[in-house]
Amino acid sequence: MSTEKEPIPAASNFIRAIIEKDLADNKYAGKHWAGSPGGAAHQSTGQVDFAKIRTRFPPEPNGYLHIGHAKSIFLNFGLARDYDGVCHLRFDDTNPEKESQEYVDSISDMVHWLGFGWDNTTPDGKPESNLYFASNYFDFMYLAAEALIQHGHAYVDEQSAEDMRINRGTLTEPGKDSPFRNRSAEENLRVFREMRDGKHADGSMVLRAKIDMASPNINMRDPAIYRIRRAHHHNTGDDWCIYPMYTFAHPIEDALEQITHSICTLEFEDQRPFYDWLMARLVEAGLLSNPVPYQYEFARLNLTYVVLSKRKLIQLVEEKHVSGWDDPRLPTLAGARRRGYTPEGFKLFTDRIGVSKADSWIEYSILEDCMRDVLNESAPRKIGVLDPIKLMIDNYPEGQDEDCYAPNHPQKPELGKRVVKLSKELWIEREDFMEEPSKGYFRLFPGNMVRLRYGYVVKCIGCEKDAAGNVTTVHCEYLPDTKSGTPGADSVKVKGNIHWVSAAHAYTAEIRLYDRLFKDPHPGSGDKDFLDDINPGSVKVITAQLEQSAQQANPGDSYQFERHGYFVADRKDSVSGKPVFNRTVTLRDAWQKA
Ligand code: ATP
Ligand code: MG
C-alpha cells in the first residue's frame, strides 16, 4: 500500500550550529554562574559549574499545548538531550487572570507524553528538579525593579493609558517624553512602593524602564515593566497587587535559571535589545553576574488547515464547535494524542521541517506523512470492513468455520500471524462489488474471480437488492483448492484481492472517521471568519465490522486497518471489551488532488 517516497534530507537547524560552536569554544566550561538572590534555581549548590547548555520551555499556563508548542518542546528539550545539557520546564505565570492549575497539569502531562522530563542530576550527582514557576521569582523581580529605579533606569508614569499610547509615537515618528519621566529616584521609589502597598487604583500608573523615547525600536521607548492589577494568583494568592510585565519578567527568569540559550519565536526579535539592556543594567546593579543568557529566535510553526492561535482554539471549544480540548480534530496535543498521533511522529515531523529563521507555512500533509511513516512501522495490522455488505459463499458448508492466517505486520514476519475465521457468511466493503463494472475494475462483479485475502479465490455469481435497488448481499462460490498458503494457492490467477470479516465472528464497532477540521488551507484568510471555513465533514461516525481480535484493543492501541488507514482505540470512550476507534490518518493523502 505504501508508495515509495523520496528520502527527505535532515532539515537544517541553525541553533545546533550555534550550540556546537559555543561548546567547541568551551564557552561555559569552568564558568561559575553566581547563585542569585531570590533565584530558586540552584539553591542546593549555590552555583553551577557548567560545561553544559541549559535551555527552557516556558509556556504560560493559560491554555492547552498545541502542535506549535511541540516544535518548541522538541527544540528545547531535544537540544538539551542531544548535547548532554538540561532543559527546564518553566511556567511563565506572571499574568494571573488567565492562568490556572488545570493548564499547569495538562501542560506537564503533554511534555511527559512527548518523552521529556525535568528531573535531572547535578554535575556532582545530586537529584535536581528543573520544574520552575516564574511567580517564585516575584520577590527578586520586585527588587530588580527597585534597583532600576535607584540607578535612574525606571520611573513611575501616571499618564493615562491613552496619553501613553499617543506619546509612544509611531514607526515613523519618535515618541514624546512623559511629563513624569524626570522624577527623582526617591520620588519614584516612594510611589512604586505605594503601588505595591495597594495605595493606587488598578491602571492608574505603571512603572516604566527609562531608555529612549526616540528609539527606532518602539520596544525601547520606555516599556512598561510593572502594572497594578488586583488579581488573585494561582501560586502567590493575594500577596501582590502589582505584577511584572512579560518583557521584564522573562529575561529575569532566564537569568535566575542560568539559561545559556534562550530560544524563542521570531516575534520576540524586536524585544532582544530590551532583553540585553535589562541584563546589562542588572549586572551593573550587582543583582546578576556574567555570563548572562542570550536570546535566539526561530520561526514559529505555521501549519496549513490548522489554527494555532490560543484565542481561536478557546473559541472553538467554548462555542462547542468541537467536543472539548481533547477533541481529536483539534491541533492540541491532547487532541492529537486521542487522534492516535504519536510522540515519535512529532519527533520525525520536527526533524523534517527543521528550524530556521524564516517564517513559512508547512503543509499539513507533511505532518500526516510523518504519522503514517511511524505507524506503518509500529502498528499491527487488523481487518476492518467500514461500509459492510454481505458476501455469501453459496457452496461453503453451513455452520462450518476454519482458520485463516493473517500476518501481524507484512514487513515483520517475526511478529507472526494471527487467526482470522472464515465461514459461509462474510462482510465485505460495498465498493468491492459492482453489478456493472467500470473499466479497469478487478474486484467482484458477476462472473469475475477475486482472492479473499488470506483465504480462497471466489467467483461472483450475482447479488440481491432491496426495494430501493441497493445491493444487500453478494453471492459467490469458492474454489476449495486455492487457499492462501497451500500449494494450490497460485493455481488460479486473479487480479483482485479484497478483505473480509466473518459475520459470525465479527466485532461490531463504532468508528469515528476524522478528517481535517478546516477545509481551507488558511482558515479565516481574507475577510472570512475562520469559523466559516470549518469542514462540515470533519467527523463521520460509522458502524463497522472488525475482525474479532480488535475487540481486545486497549485504549491508545493503534492498528492499521488494511486498505483503510491507521486507527486508534479511543482513550476516553472505549470500555473494556468494547473499544471505539478513531481514524488517525488514511493510508494516502486524499487532499492532494482537492
Ligand atoms: P501566547 O503567548 O499568545 O499566550 P503562545 O502560543 O506563545 O501564546 P506560550 O505559552 O507563551 O504560548 O508558548 C510557550 C512557548 O511555545 C513559547 O516559547 C513560544 O515561543 C512557543 N510557541 C508557541 N507557539 C509556537 C509555534 N506555533 N511554533 C513554535 N513555537 C511556538
Ligand atoms: Mg507566548
Side-chain angles (χ1 to χ4, degrees), residues 57-60 62 66 68-69 72 265 298 300-301 308 310:
F57 173 63
E60 186 181 348
N62 65 352
H66 55 59
H69 294 119
S72 180
T265 39
F298 71 101
R300 67 169 42 237
L301 174 67
L308 294 179
K310 272 184 192 161

Side-chain angles (χ1 to χ4, degrees), residues 140-329:
F140 182 91
M141 289 172 188
Y142 178 80
L143 285 180
E146 285 209 347
L148 288 183
I149 293 173
Q150 276 156 345
H151 287 78
H153 297 309
Y155 62 99
V156 176
D157 195 352
E158 295 180 43
Q159 291 183 98
S160 69
E162 177 64 2
D163 285 348
M164 234 181 277
R165 194 184 56 72
I166 293 168
N167 290 334
R168 189 169 294 127
T170 64
L171 286 173
T172 49
E173 280 168 52
K176 289 196 191 73
D177 284 2
S178 161
F180 298 92
R181 198 171 195 266
N182 291 317
R183 290 173 142 178
S184 67
E186 292 70 37
E187 191 186 355
N188 279 315
L189 207 51
R190 179 180 57 77
V191 187
F192 184 53
R193 287 177 179 170
E194 287 173 6
M195 282 170 63
R196 177 199 58 188
D197 296 339
K199 302 260 166 58
H200 299 285
D202 285 13
S204 60
M205 53 187 70
V206 293
L207 184 69
R208 297 177 76 174
K210 187 173 179 178
I211 310 178
D212 178 7
M213 288 306 291
S215 170
N217 181 346
I218 293 187
N219 296 297
M220 296 298 272
R221 294 183 191 166
D222 294 7
I225 58 179
Y226 256 99
R227 65 201 167 115
I228 308 174
R229 195 79 198 90
R230 285 170 175 78
H232 186 81
H233 190 283
H234 78 106
N235 183 22
T236 58
D238 296 314
D239 290 355
W240 296 91
C241 66
I242 55 171
Y243 288 96
M245 303 297 285
Y246 176 84
T247 44
F248 175 72
H250 198 84
I252 292 177
E253 295 155 22
D254 284 346
L256 294 182
E257 293 175 23
Q258 296 141 341
I259 299 302
T260 56
H261 298 80
S262 172
I263 302 165
C264 63
T265 39
L266 275 177
E267 67 271 23
F268 294 103
E269 193 166 12
D270 291 346
Q271 295 284 1
R272 181 158 25 95
F274 178 73
Y275 188 102
D276 293 341
W277 178 91
L278 181 62
M279 293 289 176
R281 298 297 81 75
L282 296 180
V283 169
E284 281 166 14
L287 285 183
L288 297 179
S289 55
N290 282 314
V292 289
Y294 194 78
Q295 174 181 305
Y296 300 90
E297 305 88 18
F298 71 101
R300 67 169 42 237
L301 174 67
N302 298 308
L303 256 191
T304 58
Y305 296 99
V306 161
V307 300
L308 294 179
S309 132
K310 272 184 192 161
R311 184 183 58 77
K312 289 179 182 169
L313 292 176
I314 288 173
Q315 196 179 346
L316 287 169
V317 173
E318 285 184 350
E319 294 179 6
K320 302 206 184 321
H321 301 285
V322 293
S323 65
W325 282 108
D326 59 357
D327 187 296
R329 292 164 297 173

Side-chain angles (χ1 to χ4, degrees), residues 384-389 427-430 506-513 540-546 561 564 567 578-581:
V385 177
L386 303 193
D387 186 11
I389 54 168
W427 293 109
I428 61 167
E429 299 291 345
R430 182 173 299 279
Y507 167 49
T508 306
E510 176 182 319
I511 295 200
R512 296 84 174 261
L513 300 178
K540 196 173 149 201
V541 181
I542 60 164
T543 302
Q545 301 294 342
L546 308 181
F561 291 170
H564 288 300
F567 292 75
K578 207 155 180 14
V580 169
F581 289 91

